[in-house]
Amino acid sequence: MLQSPVTLNMLNVMQRKERTMNAVIHHVRETGSTNELCTQAGKNGAPSWTVYTADCQTAGRGRLGRSWSSPAGTGLWFSVLLRPDLPASSAGLIPLAAALAVADGILTLTGLRCGIKWPNDVIVNRKKVCGILCESRFSGEALDFVTVGIGLNLYRGAYPAELNERATSLEECLSAVPGRESLLDGILASLESGIGLLEGKRERELLERYEKQCVTVGSRIRVSGGMEMTGIAEGIGAEGSLLVRSEDGTLRAVACGDVSVRGVMGYV
Ligand code: BT5
């Protein structure tokens, strides 16, 4: 339920953003999932850059039906509604732009350099600090809108103890954790420039920057869920797929499925 459209000192973020992309930020104390709020808003015709943030999610969603732990006050949990001027075939690039926006936003604000595990896990010290869930809606052949859901762990309490080996938080990597408003502001600004590159048909530029930060590219990987294979990830395809050289020498494009990267998040 919406409690109040703006709290949490979001006013600063709104005022700054309104000068560029007209972000309208709704903050709630508790909700099931900000992706759900955002998607409902999208179905009701809300404009691009409508943002929902929550202190706490009671049914935070991961990919493939998994859940995302999001207790109160431990992380930045938010979703952004985008109506990009892009063909449906480019929808697969948005998760990549979102991961890059998180990594860039954190770098600019704190100097901390994060890696990206394809397609959109943001990692530090081989552990996941941020998960992203993009949900696209199509109208016939065209892309109608995309909900970009971002869960950034700020404090240890964000994730359950059993994920200690795979998850981390900014608190564990920095001497001071920036405020949620500044992080949101920085990530939205980077996301705006990434989406701008895509809309300006400059996706190669975005992908080059992405590849530099992607720990998957150049690594030995295992793909599961759908296509099962192991091989070396050689790069990113034009539509955001992962190009994998399998053991028999063929190059395949992996568009979805779970990818484990040797040495990252517990995969040995
Ligand atoms: C993701 O899924 O990484 C996408 C997470 C997206 C969360 C945001 S929060 C705002 C918005 N609203 C939502 O409802 N969702 C989005 P996936 O790759 O499937 O990872 C899920 C797996 O990560 C779980 O099965 C756990 O193993 C692990 N996990 C759960 N909570 C975590 C946390 N806080 N930090 C790190 N790992 C976590």
Side-chain angles (χ1 to χ4, degrees), residues 1 7 13 28 41 43 49 60 65 76 86 111 114 118 126 132 143 153 168 172 184 186 198-199 205 214 221 223 250:
M1 269 294 99
T7 55
V13 182
V28 301
K43 287 181 189 166
W49 299 102
L76 176 62
L86 290 174
C114 299
W118 183 87
R126 300 165 180 259
I132 298 175
L143 182 60
N153 297 335
T168 190
E172 294 159 82
L184 178 61
L198 297 181
E199 290 183 327
E205 236 171 276
C214 182
I221 61 140
V223 184
T250 48

Side-chain angles (χ1 to χ4, degrees), residues 113-266:
R113 194 170 289 279
C114 299
I116 299 170
K117 176 178 165 288
W118 183 87
N120 57 13
D121 288 340
V122 181
I123 57 168
V124 189
N125 300 330
R126 300 165 180 259
K127 296 178 178 183
K128 180 155 155 175
V129 71
C130 174
I132 298 175
L133 173 66
C134 293
E135 297 179 291
S136 301
R137 262 182 76 94
F138 299 89
S139 155
E141 300 283 282
L143 182 60
D144 184 5
F145 66 83
V146 185
T147 295
V148 179
I150 298 181
L152 174 59
N153 297 335
L154 301 185
Y155 300 98
R156 278 187 188 83
Y159 55 86
E162 64 262 25
L163 293 181
N164 271 343
E165 297 302 311
R166 304 166 51 83
T168 190
S169 61
L170 288 186
E171 179 185 31
E172 294 159 82
C173 318
L174 292 169
S175 52
V177 178
R180 282 184 291 178
E181 301 79 17
S182 330
L183 281 163
L184 178 61
D185 187 36
I187 294 169
L188 288 178
S190 302
L191 185 60
E192 184 188 29
S193 70
I195 297 296
L197 285 179
L198 297 181
E199 290 183 327
K201 301 199 173 14
R202 290 160 66 193
E203 58 276 349
R204 257 294 127 206
E205 236 171 276
L206 182 111
L207 289 178
E208 274 164 24
R209 287 177 43 210
Y210 177 91
E211 281 190 3
K212 283 195 190 123
Q213 279 172 255
C214 182
V215 300
T216 314
V217 173
S219 299
R220 173 159 292 279
I221 61 140
R222 184 179 63 200
V223 184
S224 52
M227 187 195 290
E228 308 278 328
M229 66 183 284
T230 54
I232 305 285
E234 290 196 347
I236 306 293
E239 289 174 2
S241 60
L242 186 66
L243 304 176
V244 184
R245 181 78 59 187
S246 66
E247 260 124 42
D248 66 9
T250 48
L251 190 65
R252 290 169 204 248
V254 178
C256 56
D258 267 347
V259 169
S260 309
V261 181
R262 182 157 287 177
V264 176
M265 285 162 61

